[in-house]
Amino acid sequence: MRALQYHGRGDVRLNDVAEPEPRAGEVKIAVAATGICGSDIHEFRGGPIAIPMDADHPLTGEHAPVTLGHEYSGTVVAVGEGVTDIAVGRRVAVSAVLRCGVCPSCTDGNPQLCSTLGFHGLSGGGGGFALFDTVPAYTVFELPDGMSDEVGALIEPLATGVHAVARSGIGPGGTALVLGGGPIGLTTVVAALAAGAEQVVVSEPSAARAAAAAALGATTVLDPRETDVVAAVRDLTGGRGVDASFDAAAATGTFDTALGAVRARGTVVNVAVWEAPTPLQPNALLFTEAVITGALAYTPAEFTRAVEIARDGRFDLASMVTRTIALDEAVDGLASLAASPGDDIKVLVRPS
Ligand SMILES: [Zn+2]
Ligand SMILES: [Zn+2]
């Protein structure tokens, strides 16, 4: 079968690889739809970041070339020895978090902070840009009947939004600013609204992404090229500032805006991958006692919560999908997104 594999910066290829069979504890999946993620684009344009190039990853025993694709849905077609909690024929979404299960973070319930953390679809061991894939059974989450393959492929990025909101501590009645209306910014908007936030402001220069944010329920969408976002957020919150701001853009000035827009003792959550450092004036923390934190991936419980939010139907998640392409078109698709996303938000690849 063919699989989209990463060889190095600017070099992804459609290679012929052996069709995988499940080992003990693994599940084999016929892939239905796989999202091209910002992480894939960062690896292509600025990587390798998380991809093991020379040494094998400790959890997968593999290094580049590795198969990409970590946001996907599909159907279980075989299970390995010892797998009893998921049956052949079930439709599933796959969590990307690979963990050791025994280090302090794992035993504390934070496998996304595992000391030997890996990501399926980046760290070796297979990926979703292929007709078939095998994954550890613990990464597989059953989808409800009637949920489309497209929405199933959005569970993984939605879980990232759920985790970011959990890290911020906002809940019913809360206020938020989300910088960036790409897929992770948009799933953070959805997760904040699902958590009961009353006001979710988005700052996004692209008209297509701004419209997507409004369609998903953002209460105000600002164009940072035309509007002083910090001043506008102060106006919208009676001078107080938002409870939490989320940097899902990693663009020039976004981190300062995030910090300037939070209320006293508010929380700034970095949920973006940065390709370069950004300046920080620590005095901004002195006068607000704001908290800066990060949000990486999700816990298993948050992945389950993402399935619930998607099933609920309140949010038209499929509206994030702007294009669906074939595996044959994936090399060009990734390269063109890395050059410029244009009006695209989430592009899905259908391997079959
Ligand atoms: Zn991703
Ligand atoms: Zn661990």
Side-chain angles (χ1 to χ4, degrees):
M1 66 171 197
R2 288 165 317 146
L4 185 74
Q5 295 200 310
Y6 183 91
H7 287 257
R9 183 180 300 183
D11 185 4
V12 292
R13 304 176 205 170
L14 213 46
N15 291 334
D16 264 313
V17 301
E19 186 175 315
E21 294 306 331
R23 293 172 297 188
E26 289 185 341
V27 171
K28 178 177 178 179
I29 297 168
V31 179
T34 308
I36 297 178
C37 173
S39 306
D40 302 324
I41 295 165
H42 284 297
E43 294 287 358
F44 181 83
R45 189 175 58 209
I49 299 166
I51 292 176
M53 293 306 291
D54 301 315
D56 288 345
H57 190 281
L59 294 182
T60 67
E62 290 185 17
H63 65 276
V66 293
T67 302
L68 296 175
H70 62 269
E71 303 181 352
Y72 76 89
S73 61
T75 302
V76 174
V77 292
V79 298
E81 197 190 320
V83 176
T84 54
D85 50 354
I86 188 86
V88 169
R90 295 294 179 186
R91 293 176 59 250
V92 296
V94 174
S95 153
V97 174
L98 301 176
R99 51 32 168 198
C100 76
V102 295
C103 75
S105 290
C106 283
T107 55
D108 284 352
N110 286 308
Q112 79 284 4
L113 303 177
C114 175
S115 60
T116 51
L117 176 71
F119 289 103
H120 188 76
L122 289 167
S123 306
F129 293 127
L131 206 48
F132 294 100
D133 191 23
T134 51
V135 295
Y138 70 81
T139 65
V140 164
F141 290 75
E142 208 170 318
L143 295 177
D145 290 340
M147 187 179 286
S148 69
D149 295 337
E150 288 75 13
V151 171
L154 296 170
I155 299 295
E156 198 275 349
L158 179 55
T160 298
V162 170
H163 182 60
V165 168
R167 293 291 298 145
S168 78
I170 62 168
T175 56
L177 168 67
V178 178
L179 294 142
I184 293 301
L186 294 175
T187 61
T188 301
V189 169
V190 166
L193 292 167
E198 231 157 52
Q199 228 178 349
V200 180
V201 181
V202 173
S203 170
E204 169 58 57
S206 147
R209 291 173 178 225
L216 285 168
T219 50
T220 308
V221 183
L222 304 170
D223 182 341
R225 296 167 306 181
E226 291 170 358
T227 306
D228 178 337
V229 173
V230 171
V233 165
R234 298 266 158 210
D235 276 352
L236 288 164
T237 53
R240 196 162 190 252
V242 284
D243 297 327
S245 55
F246 300 86
D247 194 329
T252 307
T254 53
F255 201 75
D256 273 345
T257 304
L259 199 47
V262 284
R263 63 168 167 79
R265 295 197 169 175
T267 304
V268 175
V269 182
N270 175 48
V271 65
V273 174
W274 292 75
E275 290 180 15
T278 191
L280 167 69
Q281 169 51 276
N283 287 348
L285 300 176
L286 196 60
F287 292 104
T288 61
E289 297 189 358
V291 173
I292 298 175
T293 187
L296 177 67
Y298 36 76
T299 64
E302 287 160 349
F303 204 95
T304 299
R305 175 73 186 128
V307 174
E308 286 168 10
I309 292 170
R311 178 177 49 197
D312 172 59
R314 173 179 166 195
F315 305 98
D316 181 12
L317 294 169
S319 68
M320 289 169 53
V321 177
T322 47
R323 223 154 32 103
T324 301
I325 62 177
L327 191 54
D328 279 343
E329 303 167 294
V331 172
D332 287 346
L334 184 55
S336 74
L337 285 172
S340 165
D343 285 345
D344 270 324
I345 298 172
K346 180 57 74 183
V347 175
L348 297 186
V349 175
R350 274 202 178 268
S352 51

